[in-house]
Amino acid sequence: NWTINEPLRRKRTVYVVMSSGRVRSLREEKGLSKRGLAAAASVSETTARRVEREVPVTFRTGRAVAKALAQGLAFEERVAVD
């Protein structure tokens, strides 16, 4: 009695690039330092710096930063799939 299973599919990792100027201006409006943004978004300081340099970050990270900046998920329609 044999069962044929389909191979496991790899999950696609979705990356986002956030506008550095927009992130910086929203961060400053909220009175947050990069360290403060990192803490509010529960990401590392390195990741917070990467976001402001327009380095691609995972969708999950982008969503956390957007929530920390009170922008909800408005950026979702501009994601790129790698």
Side-chain angles (χ1 to χ4, degrees):
N1 193 0
W2 292 86
T3 303
I4 299 175
N5 295 318
E6 290 185 39
L8 297 176
R9 294 180 188 208
R10 288 184 2 177
K11 292 183 181 179
R12 283 190 171 172
T13 303
V14 179
Y15 295 92
V16 295
V17 176
M18 301 176 82
S19 166
S20 64
R22 184 80 174 132
V23 171
R24 186 178 304 111
S25 67
L26 289 168
R27 177 179 59 78
E28 289 172 352
E29 281 177 24
K30 291 188 71 80
L32 293 172
S33 63
K34 289 179 186 174
R35 180 178 290 178
L37 174 59
S42 298
V43 298
S44 69
E45 289 178 50
T46 301
T47 299
R49 286 192 299 270
R50 292 179 74 217
V51 167
E52 282 199 22
R53 289 194 329 257
E54 294 189 4
V55 175
V57 294
T58 63
F59 180 81
R60 179 181 286 176
T61 298
R63 181 174 51 203
V65 170
K67 283 184 178 182
L69 295 173
Q71 292 302 298
L73 301 176
F75 70 93
E76 281 187 38
E77 58 199 3
R78 296 187 296 267
V79 297
V81 177
D82 182 42

